[in-house]
Amino acid sequence: SQQGEEDPQALSIQEGENATMNCSYKTSINNLQWYRQNSGRGLVHLILIRSNEREKHSGRLRVTLDTSKKSSSLLITASRAADTASYFCATGNDYKLSFGAGTTVTVRA
Amino acid sequence: IAGITQAPTSQILAAGRRMTLRCTQDMRHNAMYWYRQDLGLGLRLIHYSNTAGTTGKGEVPDGYSVSRANTDDFPLTLASAVPSQTSVYFCASSEYGAGHNEQFFGPGTRLTVL
């Protein structure tokens, strides 16, 4: 069963706007990770946030984690056409990552 | 080779046939994984291996088997393919066991079982 669930399922924004997507999960975690998948390609790791961290930045990406609410958010600032992709959250426990169904982001030029 | 490679890129297979999907990594990662990706369901873990010589079952292991004879290779075998195994299969690796660090993914194998 999937641990993480992303919201929304799909998002369409104009180039230059910010994109925010959320992930909720059910059980305790060691960390939460975000991945990007371009159409027809494998997943690419974006950022990992550990359970004792609340916020993390990487370039135009900002991730928050609220373990009390069992939720995380991924913010992409100043979006570009190249950010068009599916984004997945994955929760890590002892031996595996559990992926959500993903958010499909379309950035319009 | 750089990263993870998978072969074949795609395959059409008759039901009942045996098929092995190949996966090789050159990063000397300890852990390797096989996922299947189906529309609307995200990625589901089939089997994993935390180190050479050991394997474990994931969420959807039925109908699949794996082996890990060495660090670099992690083949996935479908002993007798069925149409419900039509999917895109991704191999991944990580330095240590999953859940503690990032995973690196191969480009995927698109498998169609007729």
Side-chain angles (χ1 to χ4, degrees):
Chain A
S1 61
Q2 292 165 234
Q3 163 75 305
E5 291 186 10
E6 292 92 344
D7 173 61
Q9 289 186 328
L11 183 60
S12 180
I13 56 174
Q14 199 72 31
E15 200 167 25
E17 293 180 341
N18 296 341
T20 300
M21 59 210 85
N22 303 296
C23 172
S24 59
Y25 58 93
K26 297 173 184 170
T27 63
S28 62
I29 60 172
N30 291 326
N31 64 76
L32 188 142
Q33 303 180 31
W34 286 91
Y35 288 79
R36 183 187 74 230
Q37 184 180 34
N38 292 94
S39 181
R41 308 290 292 273
L43 277 71
V44 174
H45 181 264
L46 295 176
I47 198 163
L48 180 154
I49 185 165
R50 301 202 181 279
S51 59
N52 61 353
E53 298 176 310
R54 292 295 168 261
E55 188 170 313
K56 206 160 182 181
H57 297 254
S58 176
R60 294 184 295 114
L61 306 179
R62 172 179 170 253
V63 168
T64 63
L65 178 65
D66 186 336
T67 53
S68 67
K69 295 181 179 177
K70 291 186 168 60
S71 68
S72 173
S73 68
L74 170 66
L75 168 68
I76 304 172
T77 60
S79 64
R80 305 167 181 169
D83 294 328
T84 294
S86 293
Y87 292 83
F88 296 87
C89 70
T91 51
N93 61 22
D94 287 339
Y95 73 94
K96 69 174 186 178
L97 285 182
S98 296
F99 287 82
T103 293
T104 299
V105 175
T106 302
V107 181
R108 305 186 306 273
Chain B
I1 295 178
I4 297 183
T5 58
Q6 292 184 237
T9 302
S10 65
Q11 182 75 42
I12 298 173
L13 189 66
R17 295 297 295 269
R18 180 184 180 88
M19 175 74 190
T20 295
L21 307 185
R22 300 184 299 279
C23 174
T24 299
Q25 55 107 353
D26 65 355
M27 296 174 283
R28 307 303 294 173
H29 283 171
N30 289 291
M32 296 186 75
Y33 318 89
W34 275 105
Y35 296 90
R36 59 177 290 173
Q37 184 176 32
D38 302 290
L39 197 62
L41 293 178
L43 275 76
R44 292 182 291 170
L45 182 66
I46 304 171
H47 286 287
Y48 67 95
S49 168
N50 284 332
T51 189
T54 68
T55 62
K57 294 181 179 180
E59 299 173 68
V60 289
D62 294 343
Y64 305 96
S65 64
V66 292
S67 62
R68 186 89 184 277
N70 58 61
T71 297
D72 298 343
D73 301 300
F74 191 43
L76 175 74
T77 298
L78 289 68
S80 179
V82 295
S84 62
Q85 291 177 312
T86 293
S87 188
V88 181
Y89 291 85
F90 288 99
C91 180
S93 72
S94 62
E95 187 174 2
Y96 301 108
H100 295 282
N101 45 89
E102 66 179 290
Q103 292 187 13
F104 294 81
F105 283 79
T109 293
R110 184 174 296 274
L111 181 67
T112 303
V113 182
L114 302 175

